[in-house]
Amino acid sequence: MKEKKSFGPKQVGERIRERRTELKLSMPELGKRLGVNKSTIQRYEADGVDPKRTMIIDGLAHALLTTSEWLTGLSEDKEYNSYTVCQMDLEKHVKDYLETLTASVKGEPHQQLLTTFLGQLVDLYAVLAKYWALSMTKIDAVAEDEGLKESIGRYAINIGSITEQVYRKEMAEPIEDMKQYLDGILHLYDEGRTKTRLQEQFGMVEEAQRKFREASAEIAEHEGT
């Protein structure tokens, strides 16, 4: 298959104008998103942008809710996929975190410790997301259960209360793990509360991951019988 070649500057400019018009953005509005003035946007659209200027291209793609690949002609996929949307949202949070960290936390050891805490929280949140996916699968199965539908109709049961119970049951453990971890950070040096040692704190993530593997294996075994 023939490999796609990147656009020239003029073609990039045309796509900038196309997408801006599609989103009903004025030049000043787009400029505000990028931190530039209207005349800069006019120049981008009229004279184009060199596709090799990745910082400008990436900024334009973000502001125009599209991809750098589409702007430069390497792809015809104009809209984000779910991975791209998640990546962009998280990159913003990471950028804000790094700015806060470097501006307010002094000393590399302290910065490293705080970053380690954040990494552990992200890992715990990933486990929580997996549990959430399992809970949604179970809720979908409950909603499609014909026998349950019949019972609901016969006894006037509220399907919402049933799915809520499923959700609460599945999410109780990962949410409790998150609470314990946050509580541990809060009272790391608090003798009178729930004092936690760092080793114990960091072991919480591995324990949460182990419990999820066991829960997944149990579900797979049940579905196989």
Side-chain angles (χ1 to χ4, degrees):
M1 188 171 71
K2 191 175 179 181
E3 188 178 344
K4 269 184 166 288
K5 289 187 177 180
S6 181
F7 280 166
K10 284 277 190 182
Q11 292 168 296
V12 174
E14 289 169 4
R15 286 212 158 171
I16 294 169
R17 183 187 300 109
E18 176 187 332
R19 185 61 172 169
R20 179 180 64 78
T21 304
E22 191 175 70
L23 295 175
K24 296 182 172 58
L25 287 173
S26 67
M27 288 186 180
E29 286 172 331
L30 178 55
K32 188 175 180 181
R33 291 187 179 189
L34 290 164
V36 300
N37 55 34
K38 175 185 174 182
S39 62
T40 301
I41 303 301
Q42 286 177 320
R43 188 174 73 252
Y44 286 165
E45 292 187 358
D47 300 334
V49 179
D50 187 340
K52 294 187 181 69
R53 300 183 69 180
T54 53
M55 286 187 67
I56 294 177
I57 295 295
D58 289 347
L60 282 162
H62 188 278
L64 291 167
L65 305 179
T66 189
T67 66
S68 302
E69 290 76 16
W70 181 79
L71 280 181
T72 56
L74 294 175
S75 171
E76 292 304 313
D77 296 329
K78 186 187 301 184
E79 304 297 334
Y80 296 132
N81 58 33
S82 58
Y83 180 88
T84 307
V85 172
C86 291
Q87 184 182 33
M88 284 182 58
D89 285 345
L90 287 174
E91 282 175 354
K92 178 185 181 301
H93 292 295
V94 169
K95 179 175 178 291
D96 291 344
Y97 167 75
L98 289 173
E99 287 176 354
T100 301
L101 183 72
T102 54
S104 58
V105 181
K106 305 304 178 186
E108 187 177 332
H110 298 156
Q111 291 179 340
Q112 185 58 52
L113 180 59
L114 188 56
T115 300
T116 302
F117 282 144
L118 177 64
Q120 296 276 302
L121 280 170
V122 170
D123 290 342
L124 273 177
Y125 188 80
V127 173
L128 186 147
K130 292 174 184 177
Y131 272 103
W132 191 85
L134 282 179
S135 72
M136 291 299 104
T137 301
K138 289 191 174 183
I139 285 172
D140 289 343
V142 167
E144 294 302 317
D145 188 296
E146 294 299 328
L148 182 60
K149 285 180 182 178
E150 185 178 338
S151 297
I152 288 170
R154 185 181 304 163
Y155 300 109
I157 302 170
N158 184 350
I159 186 66
S161 64
I162 296 174
T163 55
E164 182 181 341
Q165 288 175 30
V166 172
Y167 179 80
R168 286 180 179 276
K169 178 177 180 294
E170 296 301 320
M171 296 300 293
E173 192 152 44
I175 289 173
E176 186 59 33
D177 288 337
M178 186 71 77
K179 286 179 180 178
Q180 285 184 14
Y181 189 86
L182 290 169
D183 195 57
I185 293 176
L186 186 63
H187 302 298
L188 195 60
Y189 301 109
D190 189 345
E191 294 278 1
R193 293 292 297 272
T194 53
K195 183 182 177 184
T196 307
R197 290 181 299 179
L198 281 176
Q199 187 176 0
E200 294 171 348
Q201 188 77 7
F202 297 153
M204 290 181 188
V205 175
E206 290 183 3
E207 179 63 14
Q209 291 169 335
R210 183 192 65 76
K211 287 188 290 188
F212 175 77
R213 287 194 296 269
E214 287 182 356
S216 299
E218 188 178 327
I219 291 170
E221 184 179 345
H222 177 73
E223 289 177 346
T225 56

